Amino acid sequence: MVTFVFFQYPFCPRVASGLMLFEMSTPALATFKILQFLGLEATPLYRIARVLFAVLFFIFRLALGIPLTIGWYSDMYDLTQDPRREVHSA
């Protein structure tokens, strides 16, 4: 996941790469939902997947995601307010 953030610039915008980190909790979510559908809620794997989802969700969507999103909106607001800044691509 470090590659998404640091090594794809300018080929993939850094903001989009950072926002891809939001998806780190998705595999754990899919795992526990599939186990729930199969009626395997009493298994240790189900409990592990639920806890892992909660931890990953908190880390990547809340602890990292909110500051990344606020930073992006702040940059976009600055672009609209300062006529000297130029919008550019790679």
Side-chain angles (χ1 to χ4, degrees), residues 74-88:
S74 174
D75 287 345
M76 295 304 104
Y77 180 76
D78 290 343
L79 272 175
T80 64
Q81 300 303 312
D82 187 0
R84 292 174 290 148
R85 292 183 86 176
E86 295 180 15
V87 179
H88 62 83

Side-chain angles (χ1 to χ4, degrees), residues 13-72:
R14 186 175 178 151
V15 173
S17 299
L19 294 176
M20 285 294 294
L21 293 174
F22 283 16
E23 298 305 318
M24 288 294 291
S25 62
T26 302
L29 172 65
T31 301
F32 88 74
K33 285 304 218 178
I34 290 169
L35 291 171
Q36 185 179 34
F37 177 76
L38 296 174
L40 300 173
E41 289 105 343
T43 63
L45 182 59
Y46 178 80
R47 278 180 251 135
I48 290 169
R50 289 289 298 237
V51 170
L52 187 61
F53 170 71
V55 169
L56 291 174
F57 186 89
F58 178 78
I59 291 171
F60 289 104
R61 294 197 184 204
L62 300 178
L64 293 175
I66 292 173
L68 281 172
T69 304
I70 291 171
W72 181 78

Side-chain angles (χ1 to χ4, degrees), residues 2-18:
V2 173
T3 303
F4 279 115
V5 178
F6 295 110
F7 300 118
Q8 293 189 14
Y9 185 82
F11 305 108
C12 185
R14 186 175 178 151
V15 173
S17 299

